[in-house]
Amino acid sequence: MIIEVKGLSYRYSDGTDALRGVDFRMDASESVALFGSNGSGKTTFLLHLAGLLEGEGSVRIAGEAFSRSSAPALREKVGYVFQDSDDQLFMPTVLEDVAFGPLHRGMEAREAENRALELLRQLGISELAGRAPYHLSAGEKKRAALAGVLAVQPEILIFDEPTTFLDPPGQRELAHLLLALPQAKLIATHDVWFARQVASRALFFEKGRIVADGPMDEVAARFDWRLH
């Protein structure tokens, strides 16, 4: 079991109950899509799995519970790809951005650069190594951000609305990339077509609760009309 959540609740400072007793289990081999309207709790839930928020209840990653002492190590197991790649890309060049994580964790500069170059090659964007992130297309930015996350070798990948700003060809390319990755994946999305390409299981969030959890086609057929 790569993720186990029990009784997770969270209230924002303005009094909004974003999560209300969420239970969830996920195997390391799974890819799970998260559906629900804006404000339903999807992003708040994902931020807890990444150790960026702390609510009531328990969150276990690879069998270990989040706590003040374990949080730094557990955060290294989770890679979070933000909805807006501009929130993630901040170094002068793509190569420096992808190498940043390994360097920050103590890797030697040459080794970090080699890892970054290999990931750029694997993702088909080697030619972007010397480019400034702000000069990239939306699809190129998404791949560069993903490379930066993969550089620290997480066991779990989290995507928050990954198809935002992508045209149909970019969405297809991203789906193909995700299918090739071995990590457990959670994908919050409103895009049912994309979710069907990359996940076999789906959750539906409503008012801070998971109101459906099952096979992708079953959940999508039941709630598709509520995603538009």
Side-chain angles (χ1 to χ4, degrees), residues 68-104:
R68 290 185 178 179
S69 59
S70 68
L74 292 183
R75 288 191 189 108
E76 294 187 1
K77 297 179 182 291
V78 181
Y80 200 117
V81 181
F82 290 92
Q83 178 177 356
D84 189 344
S85 300
D86 288 333
D87 293 336
Q88 204 149 359
L89 302 169
F90 60 92
M91 295 295 284
T93 68
V94 170
L95 179 61
E96 290 172 281
D97 215 294
V98 178
F100 177 84
L103 283 170
H104 184 67

Side-chain angles (χ1 to χ4, degrees), residues 163-182:
T163 58
T164 300
F165 309 126
L166 295 183
D167 58 16
Q171 294 173 19
R172 290 192 293 270
E173 290 175 3
L174 182 61
H176 180 74
L177 281 175
L178 265 59
L179 284 171
L181 297 174

Side-chain angles (χ1 to χ4, degrees), residues 15-208:
T16 300
D17 286 317
L19 296 175
R20 306 166 184 251
V22 171
D23 296 325
F24 174 71
R25 292 161 64 91
M26 179 178 177
D27 291 328
S29 60
E30 288 190 283
S31 293
V32 180
L34 281 65
F35 295 133
S37 61
N38 292 334
S40 62
K42 304 187 304 296
T43 296
T44 302
F45 177 68
L46 294 179
L47 290 171
H48 277 81
L49 299 184
L52 301 177
L53 287 178
E54 182 180 358
E56 298 179 3
S58 67
V59 176
R60 301 181 72 87
I61 302 294
E64 187 171 0
F66 264 111
S67 65
R68 290 185 178 179
S69 59
S70 68
L74 292 183
R75 288 191 189 108
E76 294 187 1
K77 297 179 182 291
V78 181
Y80 200 117
V81 181
F82 290 92
Q83 178 177 356
D84 189 344
S85 300
D86 288 333
D87 293 336
Q88 204 149 359
L89 302 169
F90 60 92
M91 295 295 284
T93 68
V94 170
L95 179 61
E96 290 172 281
D97 215 294
V98 178
F100 177 84
L103 283 170
H104 184 67
R105 295 183 182 181
M107 185 177 287
E108 293 294 328
R110 179 54 61 88
E111 186 179 358
E113 181 177 320
N114 287 339
R115 179 180 292 183
L117 288 169
E118 175 59 19
L119 281 166
L120 294 177
R121 185 194 65 77
Q122 291 177 10
L123 295 181
I125 52 172
S126 294
E127 73 280 4
L128 303 182
R131 298 267 300 277
Y134 60 85
H135 284 158
L136 307 181
S137 69
E140 290 169 340
K141 286 180 180 180
K142 191 69 69 175
R143 288 190 182 216
L146 177 56
V149 168
L150 293 175
V152 294
Q153 301 181 324
E155 296 179 30
I156 300 164
L157 293 172
I158 291 175
F159 299 86
D160 192 357
E161 301 293 348
T163 58
T164 300
F165 309 126
L166 295 183
D167 58 16
Q171 294 173 19
R172 290 192 293 270
E173 290 175 3
L174 182 61
H176 180 74
L177 281 175
L178 265 59
L179 284 171
L181 297 174
Q183 289 91 343
K185 293 177 280 291
L186 292 117
I187 305 106
T189 183
H190 289 89
D191 188 330
V192 175
W193 177 87
F194 183 82
R196 281 193 167 112
Q197 309 310 304
V198 299
S200 58
R201 176 184 169 197
L203 313 177
F204 196 94
F205 276 77
E206 190 173 84
K207 297 180 180 179

Side-chain angles (χ1 to χ4, degrees), residues 10-16:
Y10 187 79
R11 175 178 290 178
Y12 284 102
S13 58
D14 64 0
T16 300

